[in-house]
Amino acid sequence: MTPDEQRRADLAQLVITRYLGERLTAAKRNAELTADAPDANQLRAKWDQASERLTRWLDERQLDDETVVEVSDAFLQAMEDGYALVMHSGEFDDADQQLTLRQRAAVTRDWLRNQGYNVPAYPKEPGL
């Protein structure tokens, strides 16, 4: 593996870990805040699922198909949101942030493909 390939792999793994950690934190918060709600069991199940996903990723570096789709879609959405922000604001700082989002999305999706996951091509995805 070349140094550039290693850097991309490290970035993709870091971004995936961060995303799954954020999903776990959000699921835990939702479950705790709505413990008395009618859908508390469903929210607790989402918390458990988020925990299992992160644990599996950290222990085995494995993602199930549903998680791959969720991660891939989340990065595409962030990329689209960043693009819309730049077009609306025209600010240089926003443009830098959008470029970073595009790079992270492209590198992560490319790394997932290289690992054998089925991540469809996206027409606006930058070729990095």
Side-chain angles (χ1 to χ4, degrees):
M1 183 177 288
T2 68
D4 186 55
E5 291 170 335
Q6 185 62 51
R7 182 184 59 79
R8 289 170 185 254
D10 291 346
L11 176 62
Q13 292 174 39
L14 174 68
V15 169
I16 292 168
T17 301
R18 184 178 297 153
Y19 174 79
L20 293 175
E22 289 170 358
R23 297 302 307 148
L24 174 60
T25 300
K28 178 182 178 190
R29 187 177 311 122
N30 287 339
E32 290 175 344
L33 291 175
T34 58
D36 298 330
D39 61 347
N41 288 339
Q42 181 182 11
L43 293 172
R44 176 63 193 197
K46 286 184 179 185
W47 178 11
D48 291 341
Q49 180 186 41
S51 178
E52 290 168 8
R53 286 176 169 179
L54 180 59
T55 300
R56 183 174 184 209
W57 171 249
L58 293 174
D59 291 348
E60 304 170 21
R61 289 294 191 234
Q62 294 292 317
L63 301 170
D64 59 46
D65 291 339
E66 184 179 319
T67 304
V68 170
V69 170
E70 181 182 325
V71 167
S72 177
D73 288 351
F75 291 123
L76 285 180
Q77 188 61 52
M79 192 171 74
E80 288 288 335
D81 292 348
Y83 179 77
L85 178 65
V86 170
M87 292 298 106
H88 179 70
S89 72
E91 297 290 325
F92 287 115
D93 289 341
D94 292 339
D96 286 343
Q97 180 181 9
Q98 199 270 336
L99 178 60
T100 300
L101 290 171
R102 283 178 56 128
Q103 289 172 334
R104 287 183 180 175
V107 167
T108 302
R109 290 168 52 82
D110 189 51
W111 183 83
L112 287 168
R113 280 188 206 103
N114 291 341
Q115 300 306 304
Y117 293 109
N118 184 21
V119 178
Y122 178 67
K124 295 181 184 178
E125 194 170 328
L128 298 172

